[in-house]
Amino acid sequence: MNRAVVVGVDPSEPNRAAVDWAADEASRRRADLRLVHARSGAAGPVEAQRLDREWTRVAADHPEVTVAAELVDGAPREALLTAAADAALLVLGARGAGGFPRLLVGSTSLHAAAHAACPVVVVHQDAATGGDGGVVVGVEGKDEEGPVLAYAFETARRQSLPLTVVHAWSYPLVLGPGHEVPPVYEEGHIEAEHERLLAEALAGWRERFPDVAVTATAVRSGSAKELVSASAGHTLVVVGRRGEPSGPFGRLGSTSQAVVQYARCPVAVVPV
C-alpha cells in the first residue's frame, strides 16, 4: 500500500486550497489521505464539528480515496512533523496552523518545509492551481540532487505533464588582496561549462522517464528569481533542501525560502 498523504487542517478556518490539492494528489497516488489538526489544548465541540464537516466534504468529493480526520495533541510545528513521520507527503497551506494573515507563509509551514522527513508541499490559498505549463524543478548540478529530480520526474509522469529543468548560474566572485572586482571571464566558456553541468545532472533521467517531455535550460540569473518567475505559468515548482540547520529555517537555504514565500503555484520542498 502506498504511504499516506498528510495535510494540515485548521478547523477554525479550513485551508481548502491545500486540502483539495492534497486530496487530488492522494487520488493520483492511489494513497490514503489524512486530515490532521494539531491542538495545544482540548478541542472544543465547534472545532471538532468543523473538522468533521471538512472530512465529509473531502470524502464526498473523492470517493475513491480513503480519508481519515485526526485531532492530535501538541504544538502544530512538532505535532504535524510527528504525524507525517511515515507519510509520503505533507501538504500545508501557506499560512499554516495558527498563521498570521499578513505573512506570506506562516512559521509552521516554513518549519515543516525545513525539517520534515518527507517532501512538503506548500499551497498558497490564491495560487493553488498555478498555470498549465507543467512541473519546473531547480537544480544546482550536484550529485545529491537525485531525490529532487526523482520527485519532479515522477510528478510529471504521474500527471502527464512536461518538465522544465532550470539551472541558474552567475559568475564566481573572487576577492582578495588587491582585487575589488570580479576577474574577467569568457562568457561563452562559462555558459558552456554550466550547460555541461546541467547535461550531467540529467544523465540517465530522460532514459528512465522516456514518456516525460523535458526542457532543460541553463540561464545566467539568480535561482530564486528564475523559479519564482517560472511559477506563474507552471503547475508545481520543485526545490531541494539540504544541510544542517543553522537556525529555524536554515535547512531551506535562501533560494528555497524565497520560492516557498513568493511562488505563484504550489511548491514542493524535497529533502536530499
Side-chain angles (χ1 to χ4, degrees), residues 193-270:
E193 176 63 18
H194 283 281
E195 289 177 349
R196 180 193 64 78
L197 194 65
L198 177 58
E200 288 184 354
L202 289 176
W205 288 99
R206 296 177 190 268
E207 292 75 14
R208 182 177 170 185
F209 294 87
D211 49 347
V212 175
V214 181
T215 300
T217 177
V219 58
R220 181 186 172 192
S221 182
S223 298
K225 176 184 176 181
E226 287 300 311
L227 293 173
V228 170
S229 176
S231 71
H234 285 80
T235 304
L236 180 73
V237 174
V238 182
V239 294
R241 185 201 81 199
R242 64 172 60 82
E244 294 298 324
S246 57
F249 311 133
R251 291 181 189 268
L252 282 178
S254 59
T255 295
S256 296
Q257 283 192 54
V259 176
V260 169
Q261 289 272 13
Y262 297 107
R264 301 289 300 278
C265 69
V267 178
V269 180
V270 182

Coordinates of all heavy atoms in Angstrom, one line a residue, residues 193-270:
E193 N 30.2 25.6 -19.8 CA 30.5 24.7 -18.6 C 29.2 24.4 -17.8 O 29.0 23.3 -17.4 CB 31.5 25.4 -17.7 CG 31.9 24.7 -16.4 CD 32.5 23.3 -16.6 OE1 33.0 23.1 -17.7 OE2 32.5 22.5 -15.7
H194 N 28.4 25.4 -17.7 CA 27.1 25.2 -16.9 C 26.2 24.4 -17.7 O 25.4 23.6 -17.1 CB 26.5 26.5 -16.5 CG 27.2 27.2 -15.3 ND1 27.0 26.8 -14.1 CD2 28.1 28.2 -15.3 CE1 27.7 27.5 -13.2 NE2 28.4 28.3 -13.9
E195 N 26.2 24.5 -19.0 CA 25.3 23.6 -19.8 C 25.8 22.2 -19.7 O 25.0 21.2 -19.7 CB 25.3 24.1 -21.3 CG 24.6 25.4 -21.5 CD 24.6 25.9 -22.9 OE1 25.5 25.3 -23.7 OE2 23.9 26.8 -23.3
R196 N 27.1 22.0 -19.7 CA 27.7 20.6 -19.4 C 27.3 20.1 -18.1 O 26.9 18.9 -17.9 CB 29.2 20.7 -19.6 CG 29.9 19.3 -19.4 CD 31.4 19.4 -19.2 NE 31.7 20.1 -17.9 CZ 31.6 19.6 -16.7 NH1 31.2 18.3 -16.6 NH2 31.9 20.3 -15.6
L197 N 27.3 20.9 -17.1 CA 26.9 20.5 -15.7 C 25.5 20.1 -15.7 O 25.1 19.1 -15.1 CB 27.2 21.7 -14.8 CG 27.1 21.4 -13.3 CD1 28.3 20.5 -12.9 CD2 27.2 22.7 -12.5
L198 N 24.6 20.9 -16.4 CA 23.2 20.5 -16.4 C 23.0 19.2 -17.2 O 22.2 18.4 -16.7 CB 22.4 21.6 -17.1 CG 20.9 21.4 -17.3 CD1 20.2 21.2 -16.0 CD2 20.3 22.6 -18.0
A199 N 23.7 19.0 -18.3 CA 23.6 17.7 -19.0 C 24.0 16.6 -18.2 O 23.3 15.5 -18.2 CB 24.4 17.8 -20.3
E200 N 25.0 16.7 -17.4 CA 25.5 15.6 -16.5 C 24.4 15.4 -15.4 O 24.2 14.2 -15.0 CB 26.8 16.0 -15.9 CG 28.0 15.9 -16.8 CD 29.3 16.2 -16.2 OE1 29.3 16.6 -15.0 OE2 30.4 16.1 -16.8
A201 N 23.8 16.4 -14.9 CA 22.8 16.2 -13.8 C 21.6 15.4 -14.3 O 21.0 14.7 -13.6 CB 22.3 17.6 -13.3
L202 N 21.3 15.6 -15.6 CA 20.2 14.9 -16.2 C 20.5 13.6 -16.9 O 19.6 12.9 -17.4 CB 19.5 15.8 -17.3 CG 18.8 17.0 -16.7 CD1 18.3 17.9 -17.9 CD2 17.6 16.6 -15.8
A203 N 21.8 13.2 -16.8 CA 22.2 12.0 -17.5 C 21.5 10.8 -16.9 O 21.4 10.6 -15.7 CB 23.7 11.8 -17.2
G204 N 20.8 10.0 -17.7 CA 20.1 8.8 -17.3 C 18.6 9.1 -17.0 O 17.8 8.2 -17.1
W205 N 18.2 10.3 -16.6 CA 16.9 10.6 -16.2 C 15.9 10.6 -17.4 O 14.8 10.1 -17.3 CB 16.8 11.9 -15.5 CG 17.4 11.9 -14.2 CD1 18.7 12.3 -13.8 CD2 16.8 11.4 -13.0 NE1 18.9 12.1 -12.5 CE2 17.8 11.5 -11.9 CE3 15.6 10.8 -12.7 CZ2 17.5 11.1 -10.6 CZ3 15.3 10.4 -11.4 CH2 16.3 10.6 -10.4
R206 N 16.3 11.1 -18.6 CA 15.5 11.0 -19.8 C 15.2 9.6 -20.2 O 14.1 9.2 -20.6 CB 16.1 11.8 -20.9 CG 16.4 13.3 -20.7 CD 17.1 13.9 -21.9 NE 17.5 15.2 -21.6 CZ 16.8 16.3 -22.0 NH1 15.6 16.2 -22.5 NH2 17.3 17.5 -21.7
E207 N 16.2 8.7 -20.1 CA 16.0 7.3 -20.4 C 15.1 6.6 -19.4 O 14.3 5.7 -19.7 CB 17.4 6.6 -20.5 CG 18.3 7.0 -21.6 CD 18.9 8.4 -21.4 OE1 18.9 8.8 -20.3 OE2 19.4 8.9 -22.4
R208 N 15.2 7.0 -18.1 CA 14.4 6.4 -17.1 C 13.0 6.8 -17.2 O 12.0 6.0 -16.8 CB 15.0 6.8 -15.7 CG 14.3 6.2 -14.5 CD 15.0 6.6 -13.3 NE 14.2 6.2 -12.1 CZ 14.5 6.6 -10.8 NH1 15.6 7.3 -10.6 NH2 13.8 6.2 -9.8
F209 N 12.7 8.0 -17.7 CA 11.4 8.5 -17.9 C 11.2 9.0 -19.3 O 11.0 10.2 -19.6 CB 11.1 9.7 -16.9 CG 11.2 9.4 -15.5 CD1 12.4 9.4 -14.8 CD2 10.0 9.1 -14.8 CE1 12.4 9.0 -13.4 CE2 10.0 8.8 -13.4 CZ 11.2 8.7 -12.7
P210 N 11.1 8.0 -20.3 CA 11.0 8.4 -21.7 C 9.7 9.0 -22.0 O 9.6 9.7 -23.1 CB 11.2 7.0 -22.4 CG 10.7 6.0 -21.4 CD 11.1 6.6 -20.0
D211 N 8.7 8.9 -21.2 CA 7.4 9.5 -21.5 C 7.2 10.9 -21.0 O 6.1 11.5 -21.1 CB 6.3 8.6 -21.0 CG 6.5 8.2 -19.5 OD1 7.6 8.4 -19.0 OD2 5.5 7.7 -18.9
V212 N 8.2 11.4 -20.4 CA 8.2 12.8 -19.9 C 8.9 13.7 -20.8 O 10.1 13.5 -21.1 CB 8.8 12.9 -18.5 CG1 8.9 14.4 -18.0 CG2 8.1 12.1 -17.4
A213 N 8.2 14.7 -21.3 CA 8.8 15.7 -22.2 C 9.6 16.7 -21.4 O 9.1 17.4 -20.5 CB 7.7 16.5 -23.0
V214 N 10.9 16.8 -21.6 CA 11.9 17.5 -20.8 C 12.5 18.7 -21.6 O 12.9 18.6 -22.7 CB 13.0 16.7 -20.3 CG1 13.9 17.5 -19.4 CG2 12.4 15.5 -19.5
T215 N 12.4 19.9 -20.9 CA 13.1 21.0 -21.4 C 14.2 21.4 -20.4 O 13.8 21.6 -19.2 CB 12.2 22.2 -21.7 OG1 11.2 21.9 -22.7 CG2 13.0 23.4 -22.2
A216 N 15.4 21.5 -20.8 CA 16.5 21.9 -19.8 C 17.1 23.2 -20.2 O 17.4 23.4 -21.4 CB 17.6 20.8 -19.8
T217 N 17.2 24.1 -19.3 CA 17.8 25.4 -19.6 C 18.8 25.8 -18.5 O 18.5 25.7 -17.3 CB 16.7 26.5 -19.7 OG1 17.2 27.8 -19.9 CG2 15.8 26.5 -18.4
A218 N 20.0 26.3 -19.0 CA 20.9 26.9 -18.1 C 20.9 28.4 -18.4 O 21.2 28.8 -19.5 CB 22.3 26.3 -18.3
V219 N 20.7 29.2 -17.3 CA 20.5 30.6 -17.6 C 21.3 31.4 -16.6 O 21.4 31.0 -15.4 CB 19.0 31.0 -17.4 CG1 18.4 30.5 -16.1 CG2 18.7 32.4 -17.7
R220 N 21.9 32.5 -17.0 CA 22.6 33.3 -16.2 C 21.7 34.3 -15.4 O 21.2 35.2 -16.0 CB 23.6 34.2 -17.0 CG 24.5 35.1 -16.1 CD 25.3 36.0 -17.0 NE 26.0 37.0 -16.2 CZ 26.7 38.1 -16.7 NH1 26.7 38.2 -18.0 NH2 27.2 38.9 -15.9
S221 N 21.4 33.9 -14.2 CA 20.4 34.6 -13.4 C 20.5 34.1 -12.0 O 21.2 33.2 -11.7 CB 19.0 34.5 -14.0 OG 18.1 35.2 -13.3
G222 N 19.6 34.7 -11.1 CA 19.5 34.2 -9.8 C 18.5 33.0 -9.7 O 17.5 33.1 -10.4
S223 N 18.8 32.0 -9.0 CA 17.9 30.8 -8.9 C 16.5 31.2 -8.5 O 15.5 30.8 -9.1 CB 18.5 29.7 -8.0 OG 19.8 29.3 -8.5
A224 N 16.4 31.9 -7.4 CA 15.1 32.2 -6.8 C 14.3 33.1 -7.8 O 13.1 32.8 -8.0 CB 15.3 33.0 -5.5
K225 N 15.0 34.0 -8.4 CA 14.3 34.9 -9.4 C 13.7 34.1 -10.6 O 12.6 34.2 -11.0 CB 15.3 35.9 -10.0 CG 14.7 36.8 -11.1 CD 15.8 37.7 -11.6 CE 15.2 38.5 -12.8 NZ 16.3 39.5 -13.4
E226 N 14.5 33.1 -11.1 CA 14.0 32.3 -12.2 C 12.9 31.4 -11.8 O 11.9 31.3 -12.6 CB 15.2 31.5 -12.8 CG 16.2 32.3 -13.6 CD 15.6 33.0 -14.8 OE1 14.9 32.4 -15.5 OE2 15.8 34.2 -14.9
L227 N 13.0 30.8 -10.7 CA 12.0 29.8 -10.3 C 10.7 30.5 -9.9 O 9.6 30.0 -10.2 CB 12.5 29.0 -9.1 CG 13.6 28.0 -9.5 CD1 14.2 27.3 -8.2 CD2 13.2 27.0 -10.5
V228 N 10.8 31.7 -9.2 CA 9.6 32.4 -8.9 C 8.9 32.9 -10.2 O 7.7 32.8 -10.3 CB 9.9 33.6 -7.9 CG1 8.7 34.5 -7.8 CG2 10.3 33.0 -6.6
S229 N 9.7 33.4 -11.1 CA 9.1 33.8 -12.4 C 8.5 32.7 -13.1 O 7.3 32.8 -13.7 CB 10.2 34.4 -13.2 OG 9.8 34.8 -14.5
A230 N 9.1 31.5 -13.2 CA 8.5 30.4 -13.9 C 7.3 29.9 -13.2 O 6.4 29.3 -13.8 CB 9.6 29.3 -13.9
S231 N 7.1 30.1 -11.9 CA 6.0 29.5 -11.2 C 4.7 30.1 -11.7 O 3.6 29.4 -11.5 CB 6.1 29.8 -9.7 OG 5.9 31.2 -9.4
A232 N 4.7 31.3 -12.2 CA 3.4 31.9 -12.7 C 2.8 31.1 -13.8 O 1.6 31.2 -14.0 CB 3.7 33.3 -13.2
G233 N 3.6 30.3 -14.5 CA 3.0 29.6 -15.6 C 3.1 28.1 -15.5 O 2.8 27.3 -16.4
H234 N 3.4 27.6 -14.3 CA 3.6 26.2 -14.0 C 2.6 25.6 -13.0 O 2.0 26.4 -12.2 CB 5.0 25.8 -13.6 CG 6.0 25.9 -14.8 ND1 6.4 27.1 -15.3 CD2 6.5 25.0 -15.6 CE1 7.2 26.9 -16.3 NE2 7.3 25.6 -16.5
T235 N 2.5 24.3 -12.9 CA 1.6 23.6 -12.0 C 2.2 23.4 -10.7 O 1.6 23.5 -9.6 CB 1.2 22.3 -12.6 OG1 0.6 22.5 -13.9 CG2 0.2 21.5 -11.7
L236 N 3.6 23.2 -10.7 CA 4.3 22.9 -9.4 C 5.7 23.3 -9.6 O 6.3 23.0 -10.7 CB 4.2 21.4 -9.1 CG 4.9 20.9 -7.8 CD1 4.2 21.4 -6.6 CD2 5.0 19.4 -7.8
V237 N 6.3 23.9 -8.6 CA 7.8 24.1 -8.5 C 8.4 23.2 -7.5 O 7.9 23.0 -6.4 CB 8.1 25.6 -8.2 CG1 9.6 25.8 -8.0 CG2 7.6 26.5 -9.2
V238 N 9.5 22.5 -7.9 CA 10.2 21.6 -7.0 C 11.6 22.1 -6.7 O 12.3 22.5 -7.6 CB 10.3 20.2 -7.6 CG1 11.0 19.2 -6.7 CG2 8.9 19.7 -8.1
V239 N 11.9 22.2 -5.4 CA 13.2 22.6 -4.9 C 13.7 21.7 -3.9 O 13.0 20.9 -3.3 CB 13.2 24.1 -4.3 CG1 12.8 25.1 -5.4 CG2 12.2 24.1 -3.2
G240 N 15.0 21.7 -3.7 CA 15.6 20.8 -2.7 C 15.9 21.5 -1.4 O 15.9 22.7 -1.2
R241 N 16.2 20.6 -0.4 CA 16.6 21.1 1.0 C 17.7 20.2 1.5 O 17.6 19.0 1.4 CB 15.4 21.0 1.9 CG 15.6 21.5 3.3 CD 14.6 20.9 4.3 NE 15.0 19.6 4.7 CZ 14.2 18.7 5.2 NH1 12.9 18.9 5.3 NH2 14.7 17.5 5.6
R242 N 18.8 20.9 1.9 CA 19.9 20.0 2.3 C 20.6 20.7 3.5 O 20.3 21.8 3.9 CB 20.9 19.9 1.1 CG 21.5 21.2 0.7 CD 22.7 21.0 -0.3 NE 22.2 20.3 -1.5 CZ 21.6 20.9 -2.5 NH1 21.4 22.2 -2.4 NH2 21.1 20.3 -3.5
G243 N 21.5 20.0 4.1 CA 22.4 20.5 5.1 C 21.8 20.5 6.5 O 20.7 20.2 6.7
E244 N 22.7 20.9 7.4 CA 22.3 21.0 8.8 C 21.7 22.4 9.1 O 22.2 23.4 8.5 CB 23.5 20.8 9.7 CG 24.0 19.4 9.6 CD 23.0 18.3 10.0 OE1 22.2 18.6 11.0 OE2 22.9 17.3 9.5
P245 N 20.7 22.5 9.9 CA 20.1 23.8 10.2 C 21.0 24.7 11.0 O 21.5 24.3 12.0 CB 18.8 23.5 10.9 CG 19.1 22.2 11.6 CD 20.1 21.5 10.7
S246 N 21.2 25.9 10.7 CA 21.9 26.9 11.5 C 20.9 27.8 12.2 O 21.2 28.7 13.0 CB 22.8 27.8 10.6 OG 22.1 28.4 9.6
G247 N 19.6 27.6 11.9 CA 18.6 28.4 12.5 C 17.3 27.7 12.3 O 17.2 26.6 11.7
P248 N 16.1 28.3 12.6 CA 14.8 27.6 12.5 C 14.5 27.2 11.0 O 13.8 26.2 10.8 CB 13.8 28.6 13.0 CG 14.5 29.9 13.0 CD 15.9 29.6 13.2
F249 N 15.0 28.0 10.1 CA 14.7 27.7 8.7 C 16.0 27.4 7.9 O 16.0 27.5 6.7 CB 13.9 28.8 8.0 CG 12.7 29.2 8.8 CD1 12.4 30.5 9.1 CD2 11.8 28.3 9.4 CE1 11.3 30.9 9.8 CE2 10.7 28.7 10.2 CZ 10.5 30.0 10.4
G250 N 17.1 27.1 8.6 CA 18.4 27.0 8.0 C 18.5 25.9 6.9 O 19.3 26.1 6.0
R251 N 17.7 24.8 7.0 CA 17.8 23.8 6.0 C 17.3 24.2 4.7 O 17.7 23.6 3.7 CB 17.0 22.5 6.5 CG 17.6 21.8 7.7 CD 16.7 20.6 8.1 NE 17.1 20.0 9.4 CZ 17.9 19.0 9.5 NH1 18.5 18.5 8.4 NH2 18.2 18.5 10.7
L252 N 16.4 25.2 4.6 CA 15.8 25.5 3.4 C 16.8 26.2 2.5 O 16.8 26.0 1.3 CB 14.6 26.5 3.6 CG 13.3 25.8 4.0 CD1 12.3 26.9 4.3 CD2 12.9 24.8 3.0
G253 N 17.7 27.1 3.0 CA 18.5 27.9 2.2 C 17.8 29.1 1.6 O 16.5 29.1 1.5
S254 N 18.5 30.1 1.1 CA 17.9 31.3 0.7 C 17.0 31.1 -0.5 O 15.9 31.7 -0.6 CB 18.9 32.4 0.4 OG 19.8 31.9 -0.6
T255 N 17.4 30.3 -1.5 CA 16.6 30.1 -2.7 C 15.3 29.4 -2.4 O 14.2 29.8 -2.8 CB 17.4 29.2 -3.7 OG1 18.5 30.0 -4.2 CG2 16.5 28.9 -4.9
S256 N 15.3 28.3 -1.6 CA 14.1 27.6 -1.3 C 13.2 28.4 -0.5 O 11.9 28.4 -0.7 CB 14.4 26.3 -0.6 OG 15.2 25.4 -1.4
Q257 N 13.7 29.2 0.5 CA 12.8 30.1 1.2 C 12.1 31.1 0.4 O 10.9 31.3 0.5 CB 13.7 30.8 2.3 CG 14.0 30.0 3.5 CD 14.6 30.8 4.6 OE1 14.0 31.8 5.0 NE2 15.8 30.5 5.1
A258 N 12.9 31.7 -0.5 CA 12.3 32.7 -1.4 C 11.2 32.1 -2.3 O 10.1 32.7 -2.5 CB 13.3 33.4 -2.3
V259 N 11.4 30.9 -2.8 CA 10.5 30.2 -3.7 C 9.2 29.9 -2.9 O 8.1 30.1 -3.4 CB 11.1 29.0 -4.4 CG1 10.0 28.3 -5.2 CG2 12.3 29.4 -5.3
V260 N 9.4 29.3 -1.7 CA 8.2 29.0 -0.9 C 7.4 30.2 -0.6 O 6.2 30.2 -0.6 CB 8.7 28.3 0.4 CG1 7.5 28.2 1.4 CG2 9.2 26.9 0.1
Q261 N 8.1 31.3 -0.4 CA 7.4 32.6 0.0 C 6.6 33.2 -1.1 O 5.5 33.7 -1.0 CB 8.4 33.6 0.6 CG 9.0 33.2 1.9 CD 8.1 33.8 3.1 OE1 7.0 34.2 2.9 NE2 8.7 33.8 4.3
Y262 N 7.3 33.2 -2.3 CA 6.7 34.1 -3.4 C 6.2 33.4 -4.6 O 5.7 34.0 -5.5 CB 7.9 35.1 -3.8 CG 8.3 36.0 -2.7 CD1 9.5 35.8 -2.1 CD2 7.4 37.0 -2.3 CE1 9.9 36.7 -1.0 CE2 7.8 37.9 -1.2 CZ 9.0 37.7 -0.6 OH 9.4 38.5 0.4
A263 N 6.3 32.0 -4.7 CA 5.9 31.3 -5.9 C 4.4 31.5 -6.1 O 3.6 31.7 -5.2 CB 6.2 29.8 -5.7
R264 N 4.0 31.5 -7.4 CA 2.6 31.7 -7.8 C 1.9 30.4 -8.0 O 0.7 30.3 -8.5 CB 2.5 32.5 -9.1 CG 3.2 33.9 -8.9 CD 2.4 34.8 -8.1 NE 1.0 35.0 -8.7 CZ 0.8 35.9 -9.6 NH1 1.8 36.6 -10.2 NH2 -0.4 36.0 -10.1
C265 N 2.5 29.3 -7.6 CA 1.9 28.0 -7.7 C 2.4 27.1 -6.5 O 3.3 27.6 -5.8 CB 2.2 27.2 -9.0 SG 3.9 26.7 -9.2
P266 N 1.8 26.0 -6.2 CA 2.3 25.1 -5.1 C 3.8 24.8 -5.3 O 4.3 24.7 -6.4 CB 1.5 23.9 -5.2 CG 0.2 24.3 -5.8 CD 0.6 25.4 -6.8
V267 N 4.5 24.7 -4.1 CA 5.9 24.4 -4.1 C 6.2 23.2 -3.3 O 5.7 23.0 -2.2 CB 6.7 25.6 -3.5 CG1 8.2 25.3 -3.4 CG2 6.5 26.9 -4.2
A268 N 7.0 22.2 -3.9 CA 7.4 21.0 -3.2 C 8.8 21.2 -2.8 O 9.7 21.5 -3.6 CB 7.3 19.8 -4.1
V269 N 9.1 21.0 -1.5 CA 10.4 21.0 -0.9 C 10.8 19.6 -0.6 O 10.2 18.9 0.2 CB 10.5 21.9 0.3 CG1 11.9 21.9 0.9 CG2 10.0 23.3 0.0
V270 N 11.9 19.1 -1.2 CA 12.3 17.7 -1.1 C 13.6 17.6 -0.4 O 14.6 18.2 -0.8 CB 12.5 17.1 -2.5 CG1 12.8 15.6 -2.4 CG2 11.2 17.3 -3.4

